[in-house]
Each structure stands twice: as structure tokens, then as C-alpha cells.
Amino acid sequence: MIDKLASLLAEVARGSVSVEQAVERLRHLPFEDVGFAQIDHHRVLRRGRSEIIFASHKTVEQVTTIAARLADATGGFLATRVTPEHAAALTERFPGAHWNPLARTVALEAERPAGGLEGRVAVVSAGTSDLPVAEEAVAVLHWAGAEVASVADVGVAGLHRLLAARERLDGADVLIVVAGMEGALPSVVAGLAHQPVIAVPTSVGYGASFGGLAALLAMLNSCADGVTVVNIDNGFGAAMAALRILDRRPGRP
Amino acid sequence: MIDKLASLLAEVARGSVSVEQAVERLRHLPFEDVGFAQIDHHRVLRRGRSEIIFASHKTVEQVTTIAARLADATGGFLATRVTPEHAAALTERFPGAHWNPLARTVALEAERPAGGLEGRVAVVSAGTSDLPVAEEAVAVLHWAGAEVASVADVGVAGLHRLLAARERLDGADVLIVVAGMEGALPSVVAGLAHQPVIAVPTSVGYGASFGGLAALLAMLNSCADGVTVVNIDNGFGAAMAALRILDRRPGRP
Amino acid sequence: MIDKLASLLAEVARGSVSVEQAVERLRHLPFEDVGFAQIDHHRVLRRGRSEIIFASHKTVEQVTTIAARLADATGGFLATRVTPEHAAALTERFPGAHWNPLARTVALEAERPAGGLEGRVAVVSAGTSDLPVAEEAVAVLHWAGAEVASVADVGVAGLHRLLAARERLDGADVLIVVAGMEGALPSVVAGLAHQPVIAVPTSVGYGASFGGLAALLAMLNSCADGVTVVNIDNGFGAAMAALRILDRRPGRP
Amino acid sequence: MIDKLASLLAEVARGSVSVEQAVERLRHLPFEDVGFAQIDHHRVLRRGRSEIIFASHKTVEQVTTIAARLADATGGFLATRVTPEHAAALTERFPGAHWNPLARTVALEAERPAGGLEGRVAVVSAGTSDLPVAEEAVAVLHWAGAEVASVADVGVAGLHRLLAARERLDGADVLIVVAGMEGALPSVVAGLAHQPVIAVPTSVGYGASFGGLAALLAMLNSCADGVTVVNIDNGFGAAMAALRILDRRPGRP
Amino acid sequence: MIDKLASLLAEVARGSVSVEQAVERLRHLPFEDVGFAQIDHHRVLRRGRSEIIFASHKTVEQVTTIAARLADATGGFLATRVTPEHAAALTERFPGAHWNPLARTVALEAERPAGGLEGRVAVVSAGTSDLPVAEEAVAVLHWAGAEVASVADVGVAGLHRLLAARERLDGADVLIVVAGMEGALPSVVAGLAHQPVIAVPTSVGYGASFGGLAALLAMLNSCADGVTVVNIDNGFGAAMAALRILDRRPGRP
Amino acid sequence: MIDKLASLLAEVARGSVSVEQAVERLRHLPFEDVGFAQIDHHRVLRRGRSEIIFASHKTVEQVTTIAARLADATGGFLATRVTPEHAAALTERFPGAHWNPLARTVALEAERPAGGLEGRVAVVSAGTSDLPVAEEAVAVLHWAGAEVASVADVGVAGLHRLLAARERLDGADVLIVVAGMEGALPSVVAGLAHQPVIAVPTSVGYGASFGGLAALLAMLNSCADGVTVVNIDNGFGAAMAALRILDRRPGRP
Amino acid sequence: MIDKLASLLAEVARGSVSVEQAVERLRHLPFEDVGFAQIDHHRVLRRGRSEIIFASHKTVEQVTTIAARLADATGGFLATRVTPEHAAALTERFPGAHWNPLARTVALEAERPAGGLEGRVAVVSAGTSDLPVAEEAVAVLHWAGAEVASVADVGVAGLHRLLAARERLDGADVLIVVAGMEGALPSVVAGLAHQPVIAVPTSVGYGASFGGLAALLAMLNSCADGVTVVNIDNGFGAAMAALRILDRRPGRP
Amino acid sequence: MIDKLASLLAEVARGSVSVEQAVERLRHLPFEDVGFAQIDHHRVLRRGRSEIIFASHKTVEQVTTIAARLADATGGFLATRVTPEHAAALTERFPGAHWNPLARTVALEAERPAGGLEGRVAVVSAGTSDLPVAEEAVAVLHWAGAEVASVADVGVAGLHRLLAARERLDGADVLIVVAGMEGALPSVVAGLAHQPVIAVPTSVGYGASFGGLAALLAMLNSCADGVTVVNIDNGFGAAMAALRILDRRPGRP
């Protein structure tokens, strides 16, 4: 694309193509290629965390192939929603990779460039059954270079546990709050805190929890202002949203 | 019915009907009438609160007629879900009746027999928009002779307000907890309290509250054990359930 | 916490800290710890049933570990929603423990303190397929020391069976009514009885029962006043709600 | 159509069209016209109830025009779901027509041919708010010449009322059972009766009744075998289904 | 019950119990037992098809035990929703029993009393995937002694197939119409026929069929009057409803 | 945009900007403006139907202003979902405009260029209540220059009416099939026809039609292959989809 | 049927049946048989793609039998939704058949008659997980003789990929757009293109995607006019709809 | 509370209360009051935007009273979801207040303290019907002192409009993206941008949009990572979430 542009402009410069002809040709150049190049450039700049492998519904071969390509390019990779089969293949091929069975992740950590991400995220979860989702968020955040504080088992039916953990909440830049069942924890946390609160409903529950729908609706209807919500069980998405917030720095495009 | 039974038995006693014939006739007596009489008898004993008029979808004439019949029989009545039109007609006809526009009730209080109901109910509500539902419960409880403590505007986004009201909660025999939006309050209250907790979801909210569905599902999925739930906006039902609990006394059938 | 308080107050007493300084320090003491201690104290007092293990989604090791800790502290434990694997491990480790495969519970009974719970609960169920949920409620109630009357297979399509069991209902302090399919039984029972009625919808059914939704909605819309509802298949929750009612005694905080 | 057939056959008769040509032409005659004629003929035979005007979403003019056409052809008509405006126009134009505001019907009764419908339908309803739907069924049945027994206000929370009405149920050929809220009545009735039971859920209720969905699902999941269900508030449809049952007679096509 | 009644009346006859005392005692006799006896009597009279075993969610032992009890009492049995394991056990124990794997039924046919059921039912189904549900209905009807005409694979996308089967429809007393996917067949059939139409939605479909919900809603909203509907996949229920219609005979209580 | 391009290229031509600099600047030119121009150009070519005013939720002033702008540019306009207020204002301002109250449209027809659209669309509707949606489609098609055949009141409960209209269906290039209630008509039509079938569910119905959901689900689950579906009541969208099909011509981009 | 017609007409020709009698008899001939023959005839004419085997829920034997019948009649077949077991049996029996495991199809291609289908379809899909659905559409289109362009992995979160593929879209007659998750791709594609757009939601996603419901609703609500939608995962249906569009040719009935 | 603490400590200081007694008393001081004071203090510090009046479901008197209290305390107020009646009363009483009828807000702006909020938020909306929700967000952000860039009418069906606005997006710290119908805009925006994206579904649409459910589900299932979602039509909540992000500054508690 750049080559095509350059040769056209060279023709203009040497007069073999008139301005009018060049305008016409440029008007019909596929702009999408320009866009593609621009975006690709951005991707290179932000690399290091931009490509995370969502292993669910992918074969062992597909996941291993993508991981190898990423390891070559960036020195590391992170795969989420891995099955034990995925994990076995990845850790065999990449001896330095670490499998976290609770979070369902495999990570091979690249060396990180200096001057990276600054900020801390507290990942707060209501019950022990919510831990896989919380740990997925933790794994993504850790892999991206964020500092993480994990606060588990602070469901609203035992407020004292949450109140006792308040100091750890106060020290964070962003709060990710993970809860299933009635999904009340984000409302209580957001009432206590001034930071951004990203709520993650989980499918933990039974009967009228309808696979996490109860928690999702509760979080969307939070009486505490400023709570935002991601999809059910989407620890990955909550972490990515937190990273978008941490990325924000003066002077950054 | 009793008369029919007595005359049949008198015939048996004087021999004009044989035992076998009487067995046959009794076998075919409509048992349901016996049942009806029994239940009616129970109703008389428990009178004073047994007949509450649900005015919704009833005409002014229907409501006034039923109220008059109840006032004649028991000296008083309670009508719930009254419109202003219902209220105007009732207070005109029964000058002693009191209209509570927030609770949407009209009450004419009968003298209460001694030895009545003992116990106190705390009616806890999350936001000011939940008050009509909470007040309906209060009105029913008051009319039935229960002591009521009203604790309003203690939503979970401001925990300190709820914690400040804890003493009033501790003094109650039953807790009715009313909340719309994310419906988290019953979980928090039940975590703090040991009493029966009756949760009332309200239709307060918009968008993904789906007319109270979000709060209802949250309450059904409470992580605090022992929370029970009534229909959306059903302050009346919560009060009736509380009365069933207060009614329980040693030696009472 | 208590130690910190005491040493601060000792400093006040000996004049090394002024009243103003002490006020300031106390104002910033984490109140949640106080709350924690209070609640913990309550838990000790009520011990004996406060810790019930919800085995679902827990590993065999997790369940066994928690059970061992509870057995050490209180002499017994109750685990609900156990799989056969859970049950095998628990009964091997605790030879005195009893597995109820229908109720999906394993119980090791502690000696109970004198002066315990008083009251009887009738657990009424509509069909034989509802028995696992009913039996879970029975197991929790029994383990907590309540007297239980079990009334099974009294669905509304054969009223005579329910009517024949009426005496057992009349003798109870609380009624737990378990039904799947159309969920009509609580309405009929509440129409016959004056006690608190806790309705438990079950997921028994197919097609348009939508996993118990039909029964749940029916129970929430009961035309009999004072019916309260718990989550689908939540026999445990119904029992805990019944225990909150039985706990109510004059002079009890 | 008949004319076309006749002229073709006349050509065959006089030899101007061969048998083979006629077969071919007949094969391509639009069969639907034949079908139309046949069905129309059936309609004439069954007339007297076949054309009922569903006034909802129709203008006053449309309803009046259709009514006039029917009155000319058959001597009478029945309109359902009429508004007061519909009713005023119809009763003004047809002085013999009768408006039933509860059932929302206007009927002008034709003289009925001898040898009509035989059989009785009991229309059983749970609460007074269900009466408009029940009365719509009654109006359709009455207009079609069926004998109707109306049994109102026999909700399942007061079984004695239903049991007291049992004789009237036993005398019917078909039972239409109308209920809103938890929709339990058809199950109880079908458990007591051996006749066909047509259940009609109504939109009576609020909150989690979701406009009659709760009652509809309950009826579809009835534990009593042989209950069939029509749409919410569809008293008309229930009556039409009952008429299909009553129509069944030996020797009838 | 009868004995207790007789001895009480004998005491009245010989004067050892006064009329007043007898009235009082009779008033408190459990009427439900009378009801029970009556209903039981009805059951005996109608025996032969009243007890059908719903094998789903029952163990092989439970199903075999119930089948044995029924075979002893009536000479036969019908079990629906049997698994291959159920079927193996039943056919081994009852060599005369017949397993229909498509209908998922096992039947042991009793000799039928003379003067039994009269009438024919057409079971019409839309696609071959709907056949298990249709065959379940056929099996129940056949077992109960009804004549059955099976009309399969007449979906509405190929009207000619349905129209070709019209004669078989015309000869039936009741039409059971089974369809999944868009559930349109009952509307078309009811438009062609004058008999009672019982619609059975099936869970055949995928995606937005939502397990049969699409077909269920379509059937409830049929534009053809007089269609009634049973639960999704409920071939058994449709057959039972058809039997209620066939049972209707002059002079039958 | 074109101007900016031209001046940049002129600078390249006269050497004041180097090729490398020009490449860099062009790389960062907002490509979207190029895209905008292209698409705008397409719009001009296809004009005559590209801008249709969706009046719903727009004020009378907004609709009138947009209509005036379109009338200036193209000589005509079409507005859908107009209220009577919209219609009054539009017909007053544009005396040549025509209000179709059934279709809820106002159209001012421009002269059409020669060589326009070729093809005929049959708009088939099930009941008279579906006519507003069908007529909206007709109005859009007519305004765009398509030939339209309207076939109304051919619901599936009276197949003969549909079969009688078959010739008009056969003559069409595209079939739009509009139905509420059970939404069965598209399946039947698609079984009879070989053309593209665009199904439009309507909100006609009540109770379990859930505002057109029943018809929508039925159409999505059609057993006739090749049926596509648009949103509930979306006659406009169906017409636009038909126009996309009619637009397809050899040699057309 | 033809025979019966011929003999009747022969009687008319020889005068043994009058014209009037013949009209009457013909009027009652079962028109459905005529219809059946006509439609069958159409099927023969369009053969080659009319019979596609939907293998889901069919046994290996059923699928093989139908395939054999089709291969005999037409020289080929296409089976969709095949399991590996189906595929093994089909490829063993028909060595020329080709199994596409991604598309879940087995095809045996018949020689195609000259003068067949003209036109190209672009099948556009959002993510790699959507490929099975897209490939099913491709397989059906290819088997029917259409030219297909496959454009994969062009989800809306990376617009540049879609814009880069624009040329391939422009060259197509019909666009099939396949997407799961938020289902946004058809809106974007339809905004860029003037051709018919058939949207296929897939069940790809988790949590609040509710099995493809999110994508389905998004597509039905597309802000781009003229998008039509098929059932979730229905690649087959989308292809059949595209074929109906391609079939459209001047002079074709 | 402070007073009580001080007098207790004074008693400790003068020896009239022992350390042990003081510990005990402090342990039972209502900790919630301490919490209340702390939180209240936070509120004072953050004042200026902390109290926003949600006027919906409040009377004119209630809104005016709260506004007056806020104006006294802080010099200004913001009320959202005001009706014209609210607006008339507020602007009459507070002549400096500004009513924005599109955003449904009334604002009286206080002087802002120096050193306030830094940062810019872009509020992007899909269609003109989404403007009220977008403008509500704008009003809240403006009132809180944030810089706002409004980008309207950039729906995904016309990508060029969005791409043309890209510069304004790039300059923002947070992106609020508002869309109804298929809710696709946040996915496209998040694919183009690196900032936090807060998605707001609106109830704009009809039929299968189900009051904004379609857009809500689409946004929750966004294929672009890091999108978070608030309730339907909740422009206020989106703005509050954005403010939580902007508030984040080094050194801020």
C-alpha cells in the first residue's frame, strides 16, 4: 500500500500524472488498507498483552499453533478458558509456561518493557465458587503487568468480612467485583468506594439464578451510581476493561 | 346442615331409620358443607383481620358494599390498593375511616378483643420509592394489632444508614424487607439478623429491572440463608405472612 | 482489637494520651473489626447448626477438610448436596456419620445442649419426585433439633390424600410445602391452615415447567394469603427459614 | 366455477371436447375453488354459531356492518370483546340485541333450528376478577344453544366452596375452568372430575403473574391428567372447544 | 370409616349416645375419608386404564414393583417414558409385555371388560421427529381400548400430504395434532375439521425453538377456534384428554 | 476533502512537498471522508427511495423539516409511522401529498426516472388486523416503483382462501407474508411457492402472543426452507428487503 | 385419480351420466389428490436440490436409506448435520461422497443439467467459531450449483478486516452474514452493500448470549434497512433463502 | 457521637471509669455512627456533584424541597428525569436554573472550586432517538465539571459517519457509547479505540427490541474486549461511571 502510494506520488512529482488524475486515483484506493495499516501499527505499540488466546471451542492444535506464533513474536502468551488437554499440550511445548487450573489459564510471561503499566486493581469476590472467574481476571491483569489485590469470600451476608477488607479496597485504582447468586456485592462495594467498579456476574447458583441472569440483572440495576457490568463469568472482559482504565495517562494517545 | 344431621339422628334414635340406612345417607351427605362450617367457625374465632378488601379491579360500589357488610359484622374493615375514588366514597360513608394515600389503604378500626396479638414487626425499606409497598405492609400489620417499627431509606449503597438502624431491627420478632432495583437489602439484613426475614421485591426501577423481576430473582437467590420471598409489590402478603408467624403461640391450635 | 483498645485506654488513664487524641484515634479504628467480633460472638452462641456445608461445586478434599474442622469444634456437622463421592469420603473418615442418599446429605450428630429448639415442622410434598428436596429440608431440621412430620405424595389432583393428612398438618408450628409441576399445593395447604407456610418449588416437570419456573411463579402468585417462597429445589433454605421462626422465643435477642 | 365445470362437461357430452382433453383441463382447474365451495357448504350447514364477531381492534363501523350482514343471513349474531362504543351502536341498530358489559358481548339471538345441540357445560371460575373471562365463555355457549352452569368464586384457597359445588360439576358434560394468579383450580377440578377439562388462564394478578403467564404455565404443567389449555383470557376459545366436544354425536360427519 | 359410622349410629339407635352428641361427633369426623372412599370407588369402576406408570425419574426397581402390583390387581399395566433398562427389566419379568422403543412404552394388556370405550382418535403428526410423542399418545389410547388412526409426516410446508389424509381425519371423533418447530399444524387441521383438536407441541427444533416454546406459543395463539393445548412433548396428556372426551356418553355419571 | 487532496498533490507536483512527506500525510488523512464521499455518491445514484422518514418518536416539526428537504432535493418523500398530527401538517404543507391512514404513511411522489425498478411483489396477510403492517409494506413498495399485488385475509384456518389466491402468488417475484397470532402463514405459503418469502410477524394477538413473540418464533422455526424473517410489525423492513432483491439485475453493481 | 376422472368423463361422453350429475360428482372429488399430483410434478422439475437430508435426530440407517433412494433417483444427495457415525456409513456406502467435518455435511454430487443456476453468494462470518454454520451454508450453495465466496473472521471489532474484503462483497448477488455474540456484523455489512442480506445468528458466545438469542435479537433490530434473519445456527436455511433469490429469472414460473 | 466518646474518655482520664469498663462500653458503641461520620465527611469533600436528584416518581414538591436544600448547602443542584411540571416549578423558584428538555434535566450551577476535575468524555450516540439518553449523560458530566464532546448520529449502518468522527473520539479519556436497536455501536467503537468504553443500551426500537433488551444483550456480548455496560436508558449511570474514572489521580485517596 505504502509502495503504491509512493509510486503514484513520484509520478505526480515528475509530472507524468496530473493532480486531477492523482486525486481521482487516490479517491478510489481501498481506504480500508490504510486503516488496517494504522491499526496494525497501534497493535505493535501496545503489544505484550493485545493478543490473548480464548481457548474455548478451539482444538488443542489450534491453541498450540497460535501460542507458538505469539511466543515467537512477543516472547510470551496468555491462554484463557483452557481445558486440561490444552494445558498439557501447552506446558509440554513451552516448559516455562504456567498452568493455573483454578483460573483455567496458561501463561508464558514475556519480559516486559520498562515504563509499562502503573496501577493496582482489587479483585473482590463473594464466594469460593466465584473464584474461577475472579482468578481469570487476576491472571489477565497479572500477565499485563498490573498489580493485583485479591479479596475473596466477602459476600454480603457477612458484612464484617467485607468491612475488614476495606483497606485493601481503598488502595486500589479500579475495583473488579465478582459475585453470583443475588449479585449484591457490587452495590455494597460501590457504596463504600469512590473508584471505578466493574461488576462481573457469575453463573454460580441454581434454580432461579437462571445461569447467572439473576446476578446480571441485579448488577445492572445497582442503586449505587457508577457501577458498570460485563457478561456473565467474563473475568477476562472485566480485566480488559480495568486495563483500559489503567492505560489512561496524560499525554497518551 | 346441622339441622339435617340432627333430624336424621333423631329418626335413628326413634327407630324410624335403620342404622344401615343412616350410614348410607350420611355417606352421601355433602361433606363439603361440614368443611365449610368448620372453616367458617375458625374464621369467626380469628375475626378482626380475616377479611381485608383488595380494592384493585373492584368498582367503588363493590368496595363500599363489602366494607359496609364487614363494618356491620365486625365494627371495622381494611381496604388495600384503593384509588382516590374508592377512598372518597369510603371516608364519606364511614366518617371514622382513615385514608392513607401513600399506603393506598382505608381503615376503619374496630375495637380489639383483649388478649390479642403480641409481637413486633420491623418493616425495612431500601428507598423512598419503595415506601408505598412498605406502608401497605405497615397498614395491614397495624390494623391487625401488631406493633410495627418502620425503617426507611436504608439501601445497601449506604451501609452506615442500615447499621445505624440495627437496634430497631434487633427489637423485632419478624423483619419485612422491601426493596426494588437490585433487591440486595434482604441479603444484608438477613446476614445481620437471626429473625425470620420476609423479602418483598418492588417494581421500582427501570430498564433491566423488568418491573421488579431483577429484585425478585435477587431475593430468591439470596446468599443469606432463611430468606423467604413474596410476590412483587406484595406488601399485603408479607404482612399476612408475618401475622402467621406472630400468631404462633404455645397452646394455640 | 480488644488489646489495642485496652492499651489506648490505659494510656488515657495514665495521661500519656489526651482525651482529644484518643477520640481522634478511636474515630479511625476500623469499626468493622468490632462488628466482626460481635457477630462472631453470636455465632458461638448459636453454634450447633450455624455451619452447614453446601457440598455442591466443592471437591471431596474441600468438603472433608471443612467437615473435620467443624467436627473438632462442635462435635458434628451436616453436609448437603453431597455426591456419592463426597459421601464415601465422609463416611470413611467419620464412621459415625450417616449418609442419606435421597436427601443427598451426610450428618454427624453432635450432642445437643439442653434447652434447645422447641417446635415441630411439617414437610409436605406433592409427588414422589419431589422427595429429594423435601428430605433435604427434613435432614436440616432434624440435625438442628426440630421435630419433623413428613407428609408425602399429597398432590392436589387427589385432594382426599391431603385432607386425610390434615391432622398432622394441624399439629405443626410451621409448614414447608414442596411441589413441582404446577406448584399448586402451597395454595391449598395455606387455605386449610393458619400456620406460616414456606413454599418450595421444585424442578420436577418437563417442557413448559422450564426447570421449576412454572411452580415458582405459581407459588409467588398464590391466592392464599401469607405464603412465602424460596428458590427452586431449595429445601435447605426452607428449613433455615423454618428454624428462624422456631427460634423466636420471648426474651431471646 | 360451477358454470365453468358445467360448460366443460356439456362440451364433453356433445363430443366437442374429448375425454382426454377434459381430464387435462380438469386437472388444472384451481382445486381451491372446489374446496372453497365445499367448505362454504359446511359452513351453511353448521350455521347459527359459525360466525362470531371478534370486535377487538375493529371500528364501530366495521363491527356494525358485519353484524348487519350476519343478522340478514341468519337472524342473529354474537359479538365478543365489545367496547361500550361498540355496544351502543349495536343496541341502537338492533333493538333486540342484548349487551352484557361484564362478558363484553352483544348478542342478537336467532331462532334456533330444532334438533340442535345437546349437553351442558359447567364454567367454573376461581375469583370475582376472573368473571369477565368466564362470562365470555358463558355468553358464547348460551348463544350456541348449550346449557351452562356457572360456578364462581371457588378458588383453591377455600376448598370447601369448590367441594360444595361438586354436584353442579358432576352434572356437566364438559368443564371449563377459569383462573388467574397461580392457576391451580384446573388441577384440583380435574382430580375430582372425569369429564373433559378445558383450562383458561386469566391475566388476573400482578407482579410475577406476568400478565397471566404464571397461570398459563401452571395449567400446562397440571399434575392432573387430561387437562387441556387455551390462551390467556380466551373464554371464547374455551367455549368453542367445548362446543366441538358437544357436537360429537353418533352419525354426525 | 363405614364401621365407625355404623357403630356410632348403633349407639344412637340404642340410646347410649344422644342425638346432640352424635351430631357433634359426626361434625368432627374427618370428611376427607368419606371423600377418599368415594373417589377410590370411582377408581375401581374405571380401572383398566387409571393407573399408568410414568417411569421417568423412577428407578428400575420402583417401576417393576408398581407394575407388579398393577398386574396383580388388574391383569395388565402401561408404563410410559421407559428407558431401555426399564424395558429390559419389565419384559424379563412379564414375558407377555410389549416394548415399543419409539413410543418409549411397555404394555401388558389386560383383558378388557365388554361395553368399554367407543370411538376413534386420529393422531396426526408433522414430521418424523415428532413420532415419539405421537406414538406415546397412540400407545396410551390403544392400551385404553380406543381405536386409533395414525397420520404421520403431514407438515404444513407440504399441504398436499395433509389434504390427501383428510378422509382419515374425517372419520375420527377426536384429533390429536403433534408438531414441533413452528407448530402450525393444529391451526390448519382445526380449520379443516369440526372435531375437538388437542394440540401437542414437541421439543423438535433448534435455536429459537427454545425447547418447544415456539410451537407451544403458536398453538396457544391459533387463529382456528377451539384448539386446546397440552404441555410440550406430552403425548400421554393428550391421550388422556381424548379419553375424557370419548368417555362422555349419555347416562354416564 | 477533494480540495485538500488536490492542494497537497499540487504541492507535490511543484516540489514543495516531497514524495515521502506526501505519503506520510496521506497515510493520516481521515480515510473515512473518502468513504463518506463514495457512499454519498451511491446514494445519489439510487435516490428516489433512499431516504424514507421514520416519523415515530419524531416531532411534527422534525418530520416536516426533513420532508421539505427531501422534497426540494428529489421532488418527493415518503414518511412511515405517521400520527394524524404528522399527517395533517404534511398534507397542509404539501397539497399533493397523500395520507394513507391504514398504512400510517404520507407520500409525495416524485417523477420517476425511466429504466427503473422491474418486478412484482405479492404482499400476503393473514387477518384484517394485520393490514396496517401489510399496507406499510405496500406503500413503501409502491413509492419505490414496484408493482404490488395485495392478498389479504388468507389465514391458515381457512386454507381454501389461500389456495384460491394462488395465481396471484405465482405471478410475483417476491412474497412478503404478514401474520400475527400463531404466525403459520409463511410456512404454508413457502411450501406452495418457489420465490423468496419474507415473513413479517405482527403484534396482533393477546395473552401468550406476547406482543408478536409467538408469531416471530414460529416464523424463525418454519419447517419450510428458505423463509427469512424481519422484526415484529416491520412492514417497512420487509419492503426494503424485497427491493434489495428486485434491484438485482445483470450488470448492476 | 386420473383413472377415476377419465371413466367419469367417458360416461358423460356416452350419455350415461348427465352434465349435472358429473358436476356434482366432480365437486366432491378429493381435490387434495389433484393438488398432490401438481406439487409432485413441480418437485420433479426442480429436482437436483430439492431433497436435502437433515440428519440430526435420524439414525444411521434412516439417513443411509434416504441417501440411497435419492442417489438412485437423482444421482446424488446432500446430508447436513451429520455425525461422524453418519459420515462413516455414508462414505463407506457411497465411495464418491465427500465428508466435510467442519460443515457437518456429506455430499454426493450429481451431474448438473445445463442451463442451471446463475449467481454468486458471499458467505461472510464474524469469527472462527462461526465457521461451522457458515460452512453449512457454503456446502448447500455449492451442492446446488451456486458460486460461493467465503469471507471469514471479519468481526466488527476489527473493521479494517471487513473493509479490506469489500471487493469480494461487491461481486456477490446475495450476502449471507453469519455472526454470534452481539450479532452486529449484518448491520455493518448491510450499511455498506446494496444486495439482499440474509443474517444468520449463531449460538457462539456464553452467559448472556443465551444460546444465540442476543445475536438473533440484534439482527432482528438491525438499524440497516432490508436485513432478513433466519433461525439460530441455520446455515442451511440461509442458503435455501439465497437460492430462492438466485432462482428468480425472467420467464421462470 | 464525638461528644459521647469524649465524655467517656474524660472519665477514663480522671479514673472514674476503668480501662476494662471503657473497653466494654466502646465495644458496644454503635460502630455504624462512626462509619456514618466518616462517609459523611467524604461526601462533604467530594461535594459539588455528590447529590443529584432523580426526579422520576417524585412529586413536584419533593423535588423542589430537595433542590432548595442542595442549593442552600452547595450553591447549586442537578435534577434528572424531570417532567415539564418539575421543570416549571424549579425554574420559577430558581431563576438561574436551566432546563434542558431533551436531556430532561434542570441544573443550577454552583461555582466550582479550583483544582477540580480534569479530563474529557466523548458521548457517542447511534441515532437521533438515542439523544435524550446521551444528553442526560452530557448534562451530568458538564455539571460535574468534565469536558464533553458530543458525537451524534453515527450508527453502524453508515460507518463513514463514525469514521469521520474518529478524531473527536481519540481526544477523549473515556467513551460513553449510546445505542438502541441492535446495540452494535460500542463493539465498533471499542475496536477502534483504546480508552474505557461505557456502553448504554437504550429502549429505542420496537417489536423484538423488547424495550432495550436486544441492545443490552448485544452490548454484554460485545466481541470487542473491555466494553462495560450500564442499565437501559441509564445515561446518568454512565456519566457517574465516567466520573469515577476521571477522578482517578495520583495521590488521591
Side-chain angles (χ1 to χ4, degrees), chain A residues 155-159 162-163 180-184 187-192 205-210 213-214 217-225, chain B residues 155-159 162-163 180-184 187-192 205-210 213-214 217-225:
Chain A
V156 298
L159 275 186
L162 176 63
L163 297 176
M181 305 183 79
E182 82 270 65
S187 293
V188 174
V189 168
L192 296 172
Y206 59 90
S209 89
F210 296 121
L213 178 63
L217 294 182
M219 291 173 182
L220 287 167
N221 286 284
S222 177
C223 61
D225 56 67
Chain B
V156 299
L159 275 186
L162 177 63
L163 297 175
M181 304 183 81
E182 81 271 66
S187 292
V188 174
V189 168
L192 296 171
Y206 60 89
S209 88
F210 295 121
L213 179 62
L217 293 181
M219 291 173 182
L220 288 167
N221 285 284
S222 176
C223 61
D225 57 64

Side-chain angles (χ1 to χ4, degrees), chain F residues 50-139:
Chain F
S50 64
E51 296 278 345
I52 292 179
I53 309 165
F54 184 70
S56 185
H57 298 115
K58 291 206 178 69
T59 64
V60 167
E61 287 70 29
Q62 288 175 317
V63 170
T64 313
T65 304
I66 303 172
R69 184 167 59 76
L70 287 169
D72 284 351
T74 69
F77 65 83
L78 176 64
T80 63
R81 303 281 169 109
V82 297
T83 60
E85 289 73 32
H86 290 130
L90 288 169
T91 51
E92 187 189 331
R93 172 133 176 201
F94 306 97
H98 173 68
W99 177 34
N100 180 338
L102 183 57
R104 292 166 299 168
T105 55
V106 172
L108 178 68
E109 308 223 4
E111 283 183 63
R112 235 168 251 118
L117 195 68
E118 280 167 21
R120 192 195 311 184
V121 181
V123 179
V124 186
S125 55
T128 50
S129 305
D130 300 315
L131 275 178
V133 175
E135 285 299 302
E136 184 182 89
V138 169

Side-chain angles (χ1 to χ4, degrees), chain A residues 107-176:
Chain A
L108 178 69
E109 306 222 4
E111 284 182 63
R112 235 169 249 117
L117 194 68
E118 280 166 23
R120 193 195 308 185
V121 180
V123 178
V124 186
S125 56
T128 50
S129 305
D130 300 314
L131 276 178
V133 176
E135 286 298 303
E136 184 182 89
V138 169
V140 172
L141 291 165
H142 180 76
W143 183 78
E147 199 179 340
V148 187
S150 216
V151 181
D153 202 18
V154 293
V156 298
L159 275 186
H160 53 289
R161 296 175 300 185
L162 176 63
L163 297 176
R166 205 167 159 184
E167 202 168 334
R168 273 177 295 162
L169 269 60
D170 284 349
D173 293 275
V174 180
L175 305 175
I176 291 175

Side-chain angles (χ1 to χ4, degrees), chain A residues 49 52 80-81 121-124 133-141 144 146 174-179 196-202 219 228-246, chain G residues 206, chain H residues 196-197 220 222 224-229 245:
Chain A
R49 74 165 184 270
I52 292 179
T80 63
R81 302 281 169 106
V121 180
V123 178
V124 186
V133 176
E135 286 298 303
E136 184 182 89
V138 169
V140 172
L141 291 165
V174 180
L175 305 175
I176 291 175
V177 186
V178 182
V197 173
I198 301 166
V200 191
T202 73
M219 291 173 182
T228 61
V229 187
V230 297
N231 197 0
I232 297 165
D233 290 337
N234 193 4
F236 165 77
M240 296 307 284
L243 290 171
R244 284 180 182 253
I245 296 173
L246 293 189
Chain G
Y206 60 89
Chain H
V197 173
L220 287 166
S222 176
D225 55 66
V227 173
T228 60
V229 187
I245 296 173

Side-chain angles (χ1 to χ4, degrees), chain B residues 226-240:
Chain B
V227 172
T228 60
V229 188
V230 297
N231 197 0
I232 297 163
D233 290 336
N234 193 4
F236 165 76
M240 295 307 284

Side-chain angles (χ1 to χ4, degrees), chain C residues 155-159 162-163 180-184 187-192 204-210 213-214 217-225, chain D residues 155-159 162-163 180-184 187-192 204-210 213-214 217-225:
Chain C
V156 298
L159 275 187
L162 175 63
L163 297 176
M181 305 183 80
E182 82 271 65
S187 293
V188 175
V189 167
L192 295 172
V204 169
Y206 60 89
S209 90
F210 297 120
L213 179 62
L217 293 182
M219 291 173 182
L220 287 167
N221 286 285
S222 176
C223 61
D225 55 66
Chain D
V156 299
L159 276 186
L162 176 62
L163 297 175
M181 304 183 82
E182 82 270 65
S187 293
V188 173
V189 168
L192 295 172
V204 169
Y206 59 90
S209 89
F210 297 121
L213 178 63
L217 293 182
M219 291 173 182
L220 287 167
N221 285 283
S222 176
C223 62
D225 56 65

